[in-house]
Each structure stands twice: as structure tokens, then as C-alpha cells.
Amino acid sequence: MVDLEKLTQAVGELDEEKVLAILKEFVGTNPSGEEANKVVNACQQGMAIVGDLFEKGEYFVGDLIFAGELLTAAIDTLKPVLGGESNTKIGKIVLGTVEGDLHDIGKNIFASMAEAAGFEVYDLGIDVPAGKFVEKIKEIKPQILGMSGVLTLALDAMKNTVDALQAAGLRDELKIIIGGNPVTEDACKQIGADAFTTNAAEGVKICQGWVM
Ligand code: B12
């Protein structure tokens, strides 16, 4: 198993070479899904360090951009051990990062894990307005809507989306899960979602519980 603290630190320091070397070695050990989840969490914690250093003025927007590219490459390296696409389909999830928010790394991790667990995932991408969620839900009729957001303002966009679904008469047929750094139990209640998480693997478990 990899040294998780070393990995978190390397992500925080934006040491691409070290991060990718650690991950390639890890993937070569044929790890379990549980071990892979721990490694994803360690990377997520490294991104929190990047965020803190940005807030302190030690990192700049260019560093955030680089951090985004670094983590995307890290997740691509980990993909083979996060599980492939499952042949048995267990349900449909419409997913997107809400309006005003361009962060998609966490959403993409959740999408990969949900697909591996057997969900058909309809990913609408980033900066998705409420109306686009409503349209897709009318078309696909999924059991679950997943909304992602890491900016504080994403919480308002999530609430607007739930309100739009309510107005369209679609809310009651759906389970709604929200994910991303700022989501909390209080926010979940205010938004009118059914569940919240800051951990993609936990999110998949919640969704499985809804359809199985
Ligand atoms: C990388 C990054 C960027 C990259 C994003 C690249 C990309 N492709 O996503 C770029 C450069 C684009 C960026 C831009 C900006 N960013 Co930025 N960014 C980050 C950073 C460092 C990491 C985010 C990340 O990828 N985390 C790692 C992932 C894995 O974690 P996660 O998203 O939480 O996802 C996990 C779970 O939450 C969950 N999950 C996520 N979504 C979902 C959905 C569902 C349904 C489920 C079940 C689970 C789930 O699963 C994931 C795995 O477990 C954060 C710092 C931080 N602490 O998060 C700042 C941060 C989010 N950014 C911030 C800011 C300020 C900005 C900018 C405004 C900067 C600027 N001045 O331009 C812009 C805003 C652009 C916009 N409109 O969105 C602030 C937000 C402050 C706030 N409170 O709103 C942060 C917190 C940094 C900070 N501390 O100041 N950023």
C-alpha cells in the first residue's frame, strides 16, 4: 500500500512527477477497490492543501489550473483500479456540475465509480443551468439526480435546480444527491436534496441503497 501522507503532500506541492510515480506503482500492485478509494481520498486532501495555499496567497490561479490538470492525470492513472464499466445495469443517474461552477474533477470521479457500480450515467458537464437538468430528467427519467459543486455559490444553484424540478412536477419521482466541498447536512436540508456527501465512494453506496 502507498504512503498516503506522502501522496497527499506531493499533490499539495504540485509535484507531478512524484504523484504519478506513486500512483503507477500503486496500480501495478493490483489493489482492491477499498485501497483505491483511500488513494483517491489522499489526492482529495492534497487538493485541499492547494486550496489553502491559494487562499493564503502562496499559490495563484495558474497553480489551481495546474492542480486541476495534475489531478485529472492522477485519476486517469487510477481508472483501471477504480473499476471498469459494469455489464449489469442497476439504474440511471443524471449528473452535472451546477450553474456558475466550472469544477469537474470530483464529479468525474463520482461518474467513474458509479459506472463501475452498474449505473448508466448521463453527465451534462459543467455550468449546467436548472432548465437543462429539467429537460434531461424529462427525457431520461432517471431514478437519481447527482449535482456537484465546490464553490459556495453552487449551493444556491443546487437549490434553484431543485425548485425548478418541483415546479415541473418531477421532484417526487427522483432521489437527489449533492456532492462537493461545501455540502453539509444543513445545506442539504435547505436545498431540499435527499442526501449529501464529500466522498464519491460513499455517494455510490447511497445511490445503490436507493435502487437495490
Ligand atoms: C482545482 C481547482 C480549480 C480548477 C478546477 C479544474 C477542474 N477541472 O475541476 C480551476 C482552475 C478551474 C479552478 C477555478 C476556480 N476556483 Co477553484 N479550486 C480548485 C481546488 C484546488 C481543487 C478542487 C478539486 O478538484 N478537489 C478535489 C476533488 C476530488 O474534490 P471534490 O470536488 O470535493 O470531489 C469529491 C467529493 O466532494 C465528491 N463529489 C464531488 N462532486 C460530487 C457529486 C456527487 C453527486 C457525489 C455523490 C459526490 C461528489 O467526490 C469527489 C471524490 O471523493 C479547490 C480547493 C478545494 N479545497 O477543493 C479550489 C476552490 C474550489 N476554487 C476556488 C476558487 C476561488 C476558484 C476561482 C474563483 C479562482 C479564480 N479567481 O478564478 C475559479 C472559479 C471558476 C468557477 N466559476 O468555477 C475556491 C472556492 C471558494 C469558495 N468558497 O467558493 C477553492 C475552495 C480554493 C480556495 N480555498 O480558495 N479551481
Side-chain angles (χ1 to χ4, degrees):
M1 187 60 192
V2 291
D3 183 336
L4 296 173
E5 266 177 45
K6 206 165 131 191
L7 175 60
T8 298
Q9 203 186 335
V11 173
E13 287 167 359
L14 301 177
D15 189 340
E16 184 174 26
E17 213 176 300
K18 201 190 253 177
V19 171
L20 295 183
I22 294 174
L23 294 181
K24 276 183 192 144
E25 197 187 327
F26 170 69
V27 169
T29 62
N30 203 14
S32 67
E34 205 177 311
E35 283 170 329
N37 290 341
K38 284 187 186 154
V39 167
V40 170
N41 280 341
C43 291
Q44 194 172 330
Q45 282 170 33
M47 292 301 255
I49 296 176
V50 173
D52 290 346
L53 292 173
F54 173 73
E55 253 176 77
K56 282 187 195 150
E58 286 180 40
Y59 278 172
F60 302 97
V61 174
D63 298 305
L64 287 188
I65 295 171
F66 182 71
E69 287 166 0
L70 169 59
L71 209 69
T72 303
I75 299 305
D76 278 349
T77 311
L78 284 173
K79 250 192 187 150
V81 296
L82 290 177
E85 225 178 295
S86 162
N87 288 329
T88 347
K89 298 295 174 208
I90 59 170
K92 293 179 186 172
I93 302 179
V94 166
L95 178 68
T97 299
V98 293
E99 188 163 27
D101 198 326
L102 307 178
H103 297 79
D104 65 356
I105 298 169
K107 168 183 71 62
N108 295 343
I109 295 174
F110 173 70
S112 294
M113 288 185 176
E115 274 170 0
F119 285 100
E120 285 175 77
V121 178
Y122 298 83
D123 187 348
L124 303 183
I126 54 176
D127 192 16
V128 181
K132 205 165 160 195
F133 279 114
V134 170
E135 260 172 49
K136 199 68 183 177
I137 284 161
K138 270 191 195 150
E139 179 198 331
I140 303 294
K141 299 187 176 57
Q143 294 93 334
I144 299 168
L145 165 65
M147 287 189 282
S148 181
V150 298
L151 297 178
T152 314
L153 63 81
L155 300 177
D156 293 333
M158 287 175 180
K159 170 116 182 59
N160 291 343
T161 307
V162 175
D163 290 349
L165 288 167
Q166 192 85 52
L170 297 166
R171 170 66 186 96
D172 296 341
E173 300 155 25
L174 271 178
K175 287 286 190 190
I176 301 180
I177 182 163
I178 55 174
N181 217 25
V183 304
T184 57
E185 192 171 354
D186 268 0
C188 181
K189 272 192 201 138
Q190 286 210 338
I191 287 164
D194 297 297
F196 73 98
T197 182
T198 54
N199 178 311
E202 185 188 62
V204 171
K205 275 196 195 128
I206 295 170
C207 293
Q208 283 170 321
W210 283 336
V211 296
M212 289 167 109

